[in-house]
Amino acid sequence: MTDSAQNPRRIKSFVLRAGRMTEAQQRGFDEGWALWGVEYRPELLHFDELFGGTGERVLEIGFGMGQSLLDMAAARPTAQYLGVEVHRPGVGRLLHGVQERGLTNIRAICHDAVEVLENCIAPGSLQRIQIYFPDPWHKKRHNKRRLIQPLFTELLVSRLAVGGILHLATDWEPYAEHMLEVLNASPSLENCSPDGDYVPRPEERPLTKFELRGQRLGHGVWDLLYRRGSNTKT
């Protein structure tokens, strides 16, 4: 039986978009991949070997063009940032930025994040997972394609250490409400909001240029911050 027959509604972390790289993005990919790129293989990654030392382990899923990831890595040079993105121009732009800014604490995988989580990240090994502005799938008939669903949430939780942080952000209020419902239902997660809903943007999450533009237009952004508790599903 094929995988698609066994898992007819398997969630993917992305919609693959075609797009040419700019000269800088292509150069960043060509020059940076051998240094900071991680080829996907269905085997566990060893972070300390990958980064050449120890540090807080942070996974970012869907970093886009990577600007906020670059800013965070520059602000926290002792943390280990692993970014997962399928859009090659975005990976190229990130690697160009890593080289331009002389950063040593970022690595990138150009692959589906679900498979990376399942096959490459050891259970309980991450201190932080961040997913900023995932595709909200606006149309109701497409809502089932949203990344944040109960099964995927439990996969995320399983890769966090006890006390680890899950941080999500979206600029689409219906998706924020959906994520809040899903995450609040997880017995393994504790909402860091005293009101059980959203938190102000944490200082460590930089504002993106799109977010700044949205603010000028009066658009909202919702941050959700959760901590993995000691409860786990059996």
Side-chain angles (χ1 to χ4, degrees):
M1 184 179 292
T2 65
D3 181 69
S4 60
Q6 291 175 323
N7 302 284
R9 295 186 178 179
R10 179 180 176 84
I11 293 174
K12 286 188 175 293
S13 65
F14 66 94
V15 175
L16 192 58
R17 305 184 305 278
R20 289 187 175 183
M21 290 191 187
T22 65
E23 184 178 337
Q25 291 166 354
Q26 186 67 60
R27 186 170 63 251
F29 201 100
D30 293 342
E31 296 177 359
W33 184 257
L35 297 171
W36 306 295
V38 179
E39 293 289 349
Y40 170 78
R41 296 183 181 87
E43 56 190 38
L44 290 181
L45 293 172
H46 300 283
F47 275 69
D48 292 348
E49 293 178 12
L50 191 61
F51 287 88
T54 60
E56 181 184 16
R57 297 170 178 177
V58 183
L59 177 71
E60 177 159 345
I61 295 174
F63 56 75
M65 288 296 168
Q67 188 58 51
S68 63
L69 181 53
L70 291 167
D71 290 342
M72 284 183 285
R76 303 179 66 206
T78 61
Q80 301 173 346
Y81 286 90
L82 178 63
V84 182
E85 174 61 60
V86 295
H87 192 49
R88 285 174 64 90
V91 176
R93 180 65 188 88
L94 177 78
L95 296 177
H96 175 76
V98 170
Q99 184 175 29
E100 191 175 54
R101 298 172 68 164
L103 301 175
T104 61
N105 59 331
I106 293 181
R107 300 293 184 271
I109 298 182
C110 190
H111 197 77
D112 173 38
V114 176
E115 293 187 353
V116 172
L117 282 163
E118 288 178 337
N119 301 318
C120 305
I121 307 298
S125 63
L126 301 173
Q127 280 72 52
R128 192 177 190 90
I129 298 174
Q130 49 202 40
I131 307 174
Y132 301 147
F133 306 102
D135 193 327
W137 291 104
H138 305 83
K139 295 180 179 179
K140 187 173 182 179
R141 69 176 183 273
H142 291 157
N143 286 176
K144 63 185 178 183
R145 300 183 185 181
R146 288 172 172 170
L147 180 62
I148 305 305
Q149 306 286 1
L151 285 177
F152 183 66
T153 296
E154 292 313 310
L155 175 60
L156 293 172
V157 171
S158 72
R159 270 46 183 173
L160 282 171
V162 172
I165 294 295
L166 175 62
H167 183 194
L168 297 90
T170 181
D171 57 355
W172 185 251
E173 188 170 14
Y175 196 15
E177 294 168 349
H178 168 83
M179 292 195 294
L180 184 68
E181 180 180 356
V182 170
L183 298 181
N184 277 351
S186 171
S188 306
L189 290 174
E190 302 168 355
N191 194 325
C192 296
S193 166
D195 299 320
D197 50 15
Y198 312 107
V199 298
R201 179 182 62 86
E203 187 175 329
E204 62 266 20
R205 182 175 75 76
L207 285 168
T208 68
K209 63 180 181 179
F210 300 105
E211 191 173 354
L212 287 167
R213 178 177 179 273
Q215 285 185 347
R216 290 194 297 269
L217 295 172
H219 299 168
V221 171
W222 292 265
D223 281 83
L224 300 94
L225 197 67
Y226 289 78
R227 180 177 290 105
R228 180 182 176 179
S230 57
N231 292 334
T232 55
K233 286 186 175 181
T234 57

